[in-house]
Amino acid sequence: AHYPLSASELADAQETFVREYGLSLVGGCCGTTPEHLRQVVERVRGTAVTARVPQPEAGAASLYQTVPFRQDTSYMAIGERTNANGSKKFREAMLGARWDDCVEMARDQIREGAHMLDLCVDYVGRDGVADMEELAGRFATASTLPIVLDSTEVAVIRAGLEKLGGRAVINSVNYEDGDGPQSRFAKVARLAQEHGAALIALTIDEEGQARTAEHKVAIAERLIEDLTSNWGIRESDILIDTLTFTICTGQEESRKDGIATIESIRELKRRHPEVQTTLGLSNISFGLNPAARILLNSVFLDECVKAGLDSAIVHASKILPIARFDEEQVRTALDLIYDRRGGGYDPLQRLMALFEGVNTKSMKAGKAEELLALPLDERLQRRIIDGEKNGLEADLDEALQSRPALDIVNDTLLEGMKVVGELFGSGQMQLPFVLQSAEVMKTAVAFLEPHMEKTDAEGKGTIVLATVRGDVHDIGKNLVDIILTNNGYNVVNIGIKQPVSAIVEAAQEHKADVIGMSGLLVKSTVIMKENLEELNQRKLAADYPVILGGAALTRAYVEQDLHEIYEGEVRYARDAFEGLRLMDALIAVKRGVPGATLPELKQRRVARRDTPVLQAEEAEEPGGRSDVAVDNPVPAPPFWGTRVVKGIPLKDYASWLDEGALFKGQWGLK
């Protein structure tokens, strides 16, 4: 940004480069004296402040994508399996220099639903710097996810930072050896400052690991104050790990550790809403058998998320929705977490008894037996909810003996998908499990399709889906495709980077009832606005209600600003299931179903700029106004608008010219 820009031009530049591309701005300041430089800097700073540039969303990034620390419908899962201390399989692959196997483990975690990967190469006797350079260099291009660099050695962390593109997270800093200039804390904080990395900070001080909620919060306060004041790191780029310890030893001093962790998270989020919280989750269940650990980890994570936890280092495939466990198991796990002992009842002993002789394989076998014991309709619904394909075709064959295929889909399978949507919306089911359920639904519909009678009926409705011009993101759009298709709608998904002409052509060709547009980038919101204006100009707004979705959109922008522009109906879908509800409502209204209505639009909270200002007496409320003077004179500007002034004497501005820059730089004088 070079200063001859006006305030509005500077604001436009900042809007484009800071918000849209996540870049920083470098200002070039030319001045003849230190005082002149100071004046220029102050002018630029003042203009930047008036431009009100938003802070970029807190998150991490790889070469391929950015991942916000705050997930809309879930916690942020940090995959723990690429850690040489926590995964024997990964460690053996690293020791054997089987780098491709290490990369494949990273990809497995991506498929399981992790949002970031924890990479740790620390192992006694190994050259950690060389291992980190090798693996971080490979992960930089072979993994689409951002990386959490996990090491106790500063040199190893530096090696990882220098190999990775995007923005990494450093795991971790603490006050174990104090906070002096030569402490590990200072060295790692300096690295984070130099590389723009986010930081995981542990609640450990010179006395050791904090065990009580009060001690955890006190150390967290010290960490936040130190990192923000002395190292210039934003609160939103600090991830506080309040630490958890096993509650499964039976020792009295460990019984309250789960409560302390939950309460410290809740209090920390109350004091510092911008700070992120994280947790190395699996410590809580250490000592139990693997099957019981899955239950306790899943229930404890759910409780921590309710208290405000933003992220967790987990094995994503071994975290299950609470709905997958039976009521007694969940209740016993909660009793153990909150130490609800009494009357000879010990939840730890009860939990161990519930899982005595049970392993993960027998859990699956027991689940299969439990499914077979259910009535057929309930069994089919549970298969959809649990994402369980084994035995699906046999159950569908049995169901076909008593009723038509279309009834099975409408009355049974769709009810299962409805439950999935409710669990997803309430945060009890994460996206990977939703996709599993959708895949089972897709398989079931494909199996039943040959048994469905072909009719000339118009069906439930048709929607054209597209990612708008200039945007390549399609995960959300494809999930909408799956959910709508599984609910009986005809979806025409025309892909990414689609201009409005292609969207209109597809809508007309397939006689679409609704158009759906998606996009992740900020600039995509502008494209969507242009597309709506184009539909207006073509006189197509009345024919095509529009559903818009994507991370950059907000409900207020769609249902206030864009709704005022578009001459037809336009609605915002926060996720795939809201898209399904909107599709149901739009089709019902379009076909004149009695009593059908659309959801209410979001009410405008802030008056538009063109809203007339009320006079003082009109604005008074029944309760009266505060005692403020209203007769202060308002200065009149010398003129309105712009004015060109000519004939300014040379002496009035000659002293402001930088002769060196003008003669040598601009005129090329040698």
Side-chain angles (χ1 to χ4, degrees):
H2 196 270
Y3 192 67
L5 291 173
S6 67
S8 62
E9 290 170 326
L10 181 58
D12 289 343
Q14 290 170 321
E15 174 77 15
T16 301
F17 293 108
V18 177
R19 184 197 288 258
E20 190 167 329
Y21 296 105
L23 300 178
S24 300
L25 286 174
V26 177
C29 300
C30 298
T32 55
T33 65
E35 177 61 20
H36 187 192
L37 275 173
R38 188 190 65 76
Q39 292 174 359
V40 174
V41 169
E42 289 303 318
R43 286 187 70 190
V44 173
R45 181 181 294 148
T47 308
V49 169
T50 61
R52 297 174 63 186
V53 180
Q55 288 291 332
E57 184 177 25
S62 67
L63 284 173
Y64 306 102
Q65 68 179 105
T66 181
V67 174
F69 291 141
R70 305 273 174 94
Q71 298 292 309
D72 287 338
T73 58
S74 173
Y75 66 99
M76 182 182 70
I78 304 172
E80 66 180 0
R81 291 171 57 202
T82 45
N83 185 318
N85 292 314
S87 170
K88 180 181 177 182
K89 184 178 178 183
F90 180 78
R91 179 172 65 249
E92 290 177 347
M94 183 185 78
L95 295 177
R98 301 197 311 273
W99 309 119
D100 289 343
D101 290 351
C102 295
V103 169
E104 191 55 37
M105 283 179 232
R107 289 176 174 156
D108 285 343
Q109 292 182 95
I110 297 172
R111 289 188 283 268
E112 290 168 359
H115 299 103
M116 295 198 294
L117 300 179
D118 185 80
L119 175 60
C120 177
V121 300
D122 290 357
Y123 191 72
V124 177
R126 293 283 295 186
D127 182 350
V129 171
D131 286 338
M132 180 59 83
E133 287 177 344
E134 183 70 45
L135 284 169
R138 289 172 179 267
F139 281 21
T141 54
S143 166
T144 58
L145 299 183
I147 303 298
V148 177
L149 295 169
D150 188 349
S151 178
T152 58
E153 301 297 323
V154 177
V156 174
I157 295 173
R158 180 183 290 108
L161 290 169
E162 291 174 354
K163 284 291 184 180
L164 292 173
R167 187 191 199 210
V169 178
I170 296 175
N171 185 11
S172 58
V173 292
N174 61 66
Y175 290 127
E176 189 172 13
D177 64 343
D179 57 359
Q182 296 306 311
S183 65
R184 183 179 178 278
F185 175 89
K187 292 175 181 176
V188 175
R190 189 174 295 111
L191 266 184
Q193 183 188 57
E194 291 172 359
H195 290 267
L199 262 179
I200 293 178
L202 309 184
T203 50
I204 302 173
D205 64 7
E206 295 85 349
E207 298 176 12
Q209 302 180 19
R211 299 293 290 265
T212 66
E214 294 76 13
H215 195 190
K216 291 174 189 285
V217 172
I219 297 175
E221 290 275 17
R222 179 183 170 190
L223 286 162
I224 294 165
E225 173 64 23
D226 196 343
L227 291 171
T228 54
S229 300
N230 299 327
W231 299 99
I233 296 173
R234 295 189 305 167
E235 279 198 9
S236 57
D237 292 332
I238 302 171
L239 294 85
I240 299 291
D241 185 341
T242 56
L243 301 180
T244 191
F245 306 93
T246 180
I247 55 175
C248 304
T249 63
Q251 296 176 319
E252 190 63 34
E253 61 267 22
S254 69
R255 291 283 191 166
K256 303 289 186 184
D257 281 341
I259 302 172
T261 298
I262 293 170
E263 290 306 316
S264 63
I265 292 169
R266 182 176 286 113
E267 179 62 16
L268 183 58
K269 295 299 287 187
R270 185 187 70 80
R271 296 188 187 190
H272 299 277
E274 294 300 312
V275 165
Q276 317 300 330
T277 51
T278 192
L279 206 57
L281 184 76
S282 58
N283 289 343
I284 192 71
S285 61
F286 185 77
L288 295 177
N289 72 19
R293 294 192 75 178
I294 291 175
L295 167 70
L296 186 56
N297 289 348
S298 300
V299 174
F300 185 65
L301 175 61
D302 187 56
E303 291 301 298
C304 290
V305 169
K306 289 175 183 175
L309 185 72
D310 299 301
S311 64
I313 302 173
V314 295
H315 187 162
S317 68
K318 292 187 178 179
I319 297 297
L320 299 179
I322 304 302
R324 297 268 182 102
F325 303 105
D326 69 44
E327 188 176 336
E328 183 183 9
Q329 290 174 338
V330 175
R331 185 175 62 250
T332 305
L334 287 170
D335 289 345
L336 177 58
I337 291 166
Y338 290 102
D339 192 26
R340 297 169 183 159
R341 289 175 288 171
Y345 169 65
D346 186 339
L348 176 59
Q349 298 301 322
R350 180 57 186 155
L351 189 66
M352 293 170 68
L354 285 173
F355 285 89
E356 186 175 359
V358 177
N359 55 38
T360 52
K361 289 183 179 178
S362 62
M363 272 183 74
K364 292 179 180 177
K367 198 71 177 177
E369 292 174 7
E370 182 185 330
L371 275 173
L372 291 173
L374 293 173
L376 181 58
D377 274 9
E378 288 184 37
R379 187 159 74 241
L380 283 169
Q381 287 183 23
R382 288 307 310 179
R383 291 196 186 282
I384 297 296
I385 296 166
D386 294 347
E388 180 58 62
K389 280 186 182 180
N390 292 332
L392 175 66
E393 293 187 358
D395 286 349
L396 292 173
D397 271 330
E398 184 180 344
L400 284 169
Q401 304 303 315
S402 57
R403 55 202 177 110
L406 195 58
D407 289 351
I408 297 171
V409 173
N410 291 334
D411 301 336
T412 303
L413 301 182
L414 289 182
E415 283 301 310
M417 283 304 295
K418 181 180 178 183
V419 174
V420 171
E422 291 168 353
L423 293 173
F424 179 66
S426 64
Q428 297 179 62
M429 181 179 282
Q430 284 76 47
L431 182 59
F433 305 119
V434 175
L435 294 175
Q436 286 178 19
S437 296
E439 190 61 34
V440 174
M441 181 71 179
K442 187 176 179 181
T443 301
V445 172
F447 181 85
L448 293 172
E449 195 169 12
H451 303 278
M452 295 182 190
E453 294 181 7
K454 303 298 181 184
T455 68
D456 294 329
E458 55 186 334
K460 288 189 71 173
T462 299
I463 182 172
V464 167
L465 282 181
T467 301
V468 297
R469 172 171 55 87
D471 201 320
V472 298
H473 298 87
D474 64 354
I475 294 176
K477 172 178 65 66
N478 292 343
L479 179 59
V480 173
D481 185 349
I482 292 169
I483 298 301
L484 291 181
T485 300
N486 288 342
N487 280 272
Y489 287 103
N490 177 32
V491 178
V492 182
N493 189 341
I494 62 174
I496 61 174
K497 298 194 293 186
Q498 295 296 322
V500 66
S501 57
I503 296 172
V504 170
E505 185 178 328
Q508 292 174 335
E509 178 185 348
H510 296 276
K511 298 181 173 60
D513 298 290
V514 178
I515 288 174
M517 290 186 279
S518 174
L520 184 70
L521 304 178
V522 172
K523 68 177 180 181
S524 297
T525 64
V526 179
I527 302 299
M528 290 177 184
K529 179 181 177 183
E530 293 172 355
N531 289 355
L532 294 177
E533 291 170 342
E534 179 69 17
L535 290 172
N536 285 342
Q537 291 177 3
R538 296 191 184 198
K539 307 298 182 185
L540 296 174
D543 299 330
Y544 298 115
V546 175
I547 299 175
L548 301 177
L553 286 170
T554 64
R555 189 176 303 279
Y557 176 68
V558 174
E559 298 187 355
Q560 293 173 3
D561 300 312
L562 297 187
H563 190 268
E564 292 178 7
I565 293 170
Y566 192 50
E567 295 169 3
E569 288 293 345
V570 59
R571 288 292 191 275
Y572 168 74
R574 182 172 178 269
D575 55 43
F577 292 101
E578 185 172 3
L580 173 61
R581 293 191 293 273
L582 283 171
M583 191 69 180
D584 289 340
L586 287 167
I587 294 297
V589 169
K590 196 166 188 179
R591 295 185 177 172
V593 176
T597 58
L598 293 176
E600 290 187 8
L601 292 168
K602 182 179 179 67
Q603 295 299 309
R604 181 176 290 280
R605 292 184 181 179
V606 181
R608 294 183 62 87
R609 292 180 182 177
D610 54 4
T611 302
V613 179
L614 295 176
Q615 296 298 321
E617 58 271 17
E618 294 179 279
E620 288 186 9
E621 297 179 2
R625 290 172 57 96
S626 58
D627 186 17
V628 177
V630 294
D631 57 352
N632 290 321
V634 179
F639 63 89
W640 295 98
T642 59
R643 178 178 294 176
V644 177
V645 180
K646 297 182 178 180
I648 302 174
L650 177 63
K651 63 181 177 62
D652 288 355
Y653 59 84
S655 63
W656 292 97
L657 293 177
D658 183 333
E659 295 179 356
L662 177 64
F663 299 156
K664 296 178 182 178
Q666 298 296 324
W667 293 354
L669 183 67
K670 302 297 182 186

